[in-house]
Amino acid sequence: MRASKVFTIENPQEFKMKLLHWSEQFREVVFLDSNQYHQKYSNYEVVLAVDAFTSIKTDFYNAFDDLHQYQSKTQDWLFGYLSYDLKNDTEALTSKNFDGLAFPDLFFFQPKKLFFLKENHVEMQYLNLCDDELEEDFSAISNTNSICDFATLREIKIQQRISKEAYLQKVSKMLEYIHHGDIYEANFCMEFFAKDATINPIEIYHKLNAISQPPFAVYFKNYHQYLLSASPERYLKKKGAKVISQPIKGTARRNSYPILDEQSKVDLENNPKERAENIMIVDLVRNDLSRTSTKGSVEVEELCGIYTFKQVHQMISTVVSQVENTTSAVEIIKTTFPMGSMTGAPKISAMKIIEELEETKRGLYSGAVGYFTPHGDFDFNVVIRSILYNAKNQYVSFSVGSAITSEATPEVEYEECLLKAKAMFEVLK
């Protein structure tokens, strides 16, 4: 049982900053921020989970079964991540590319302390409550310095894992696979990295979040492993009997002139290539959701909707289904993972070709971060527009990608990758 208390806060934005800075004292931290981007399926503005009471950390082998046992046993809030390479648990696939980060394939923890911010209230839920700990922590958080005063660190030299020339050759090879009928679409990614790098994770997260202000931002810490994410995309959410997937495919630049910015949205909405990419993934998601849905319940709530973020316009579709209450939460995730927007179609063929042509193990990039509730509901993002950092190895990494279809032009896809990488370059330099 968790002890719970609700406090009123005068300045929610300031309290949010204080809460994040206060959390740094703990070994395990998951900080989820919607940036007040109120979508149809939003629950909270900010969620913070800290300090593991129990946890699970494993490689891909039998990972989903182990997670199901852990989730069934605890029947509590669980926070953590699923790496892209859990694909190797569900299919006869491998991941043999270079991995400079060395994160576990799966990590979840049962937090001792939980915080839920909505409007001008914060609800605190604690396990193993001791005396006046709720009151003491609220007071400590309220008195935490929320000003970002960071010392300048030495310059980070960012390198590109795949050169432009090699990228163009690899996309051309992927187009050959498409023209031969092996796949219809695949998401091809490349890594940017820095060795012997020292960064201040909270500083970088603040900068990245300020640039993008996305609805699924994450600050994640597990000892010396960090994820600093400005993700705009939801992977999968379950609320009661309803399951929601919101894949993103289609990106356009913002423009500082309102008329041109509006035209950019219209152009994206009517771009045949972008619509084709999105619709292909919608079909894949419909198929994935049908594996656990009640008969005839899969439907497309919104097809190719255009949503505006601080730096880009995105094309987002919403696919939903209904599930029986006997269907486990982990089974719903297992049968849809990895998300179609980061793989391609047909899914298994696309993942095999991705592994052949990419040069870095994706790991947590294009995986998912989120939580399970005590009642078996869940909500997970897609790990994109994100920086990963192993402080022990002093290795910083971020990856970007785009969907390759028969209409793709290698040069244009390369430019799209650089557009998506812009924010990460800015905050690291």
Side-chain angles (χ1 to χ4, degrees), residues 32-48:
L32 309 174
D33 188 358
S34 72
N35 284 295
Q36 297 182 306
Y37 195 98
H38 298 295
Q39 293 187 319
K40 181 177 179 181
Y41 294 109
S42 295
N43 282 352
Y44 307 102
E45 292 173 7
V46 173
V47 180
L48 172 67

Side-chain angles (χ1 to χ4, degrees), residues 21-39:
H21 284 261
W22 174 83
S23 74
E24 257 303 276
Q25 64 187 286
F26 299 101
R27 176 180 170 130
E28 302 89 4
V29 179
V30 173
F31 181 84
L32 309 174
D33 188 358
S34 72
N35 284 295
Q36 297 182 306
Y37 195 98
H38 298 295
Q39 293 187 319

